């Protein structure tokens, strides 16, 4: 499989959101009720994503990239 079709990190929150991070720096947030439904997506560049995590209360979403950056997003319902 090419890098853009390989997942490197996953995270699940209590709202039924599944974060999928790929080898090419692309992240999608999907609904666990329907994995084809994209809630949000980002392209963080050509470096792969090392880790994705939700905060315990589900209000923050963090992404650690191989580019040595950590991105933190607020989560408000289905909005990022």
């Amino acid at each position: 499989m090419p890098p853009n079709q390989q997942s490197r990190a996953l995270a699940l929150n209590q709202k039924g959101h599944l974060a999928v991070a790929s080898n090419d720096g692309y992240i999608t947030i999907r609904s666990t009720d329907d994995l084809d439904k994209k809630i949000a997506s980002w392209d963080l560049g050509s470096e792969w994503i090392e880790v994705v995590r939700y905060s315990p209360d589900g209000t923050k979403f963090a992404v650690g990239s191989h580019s040595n950056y950590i991105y933190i997003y607020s989560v408000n319902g289905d909005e990022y």
Side-chain angles (χ1 to χ4, degrees):
M1 302 295 283
N4 67 341
Q5 294 179 358
Q6 299 173 13
S7 297
R8 188 165 186 93
L10 301 170
L12 182 65
N13 77 0
Q14 69 270 25
K15 295 176 185 173
H17 295 176
L18 177 65
V20 180
S22 69
N23 280 342
D24 64 354
Y26 193 74
I27 300 169
T28 59
I29 309 296
R30 298 176 179 272
S31 170
T32 56
D33 293 333
D34 179 4
L35 291 177
D36 289 329
K37 179 184 175 189
K38 288 184 184 178
I39 296 170
S41 62
W42 301 273
D43 186 357
L44 297 179
S46 61
E47 296 289 337
W48 65 81
I49 304 302
E50 292 284 343
V51 64
V52 290
R53 293 285 188 271
Y54 284 97
S55 64
D57 66 359
T59 61
K60 301 286 184 212
F61 175 66
V63 178
S65 171
H66 190 69
S67 64
N68 296 321
Y69 287 101
I70 297 174
Y71 303 89
I72 300 175
Y73 299 93
S74 292
V75 181
N76 183 15
D78 282 348
E79 294 183 20
Y80 286 72

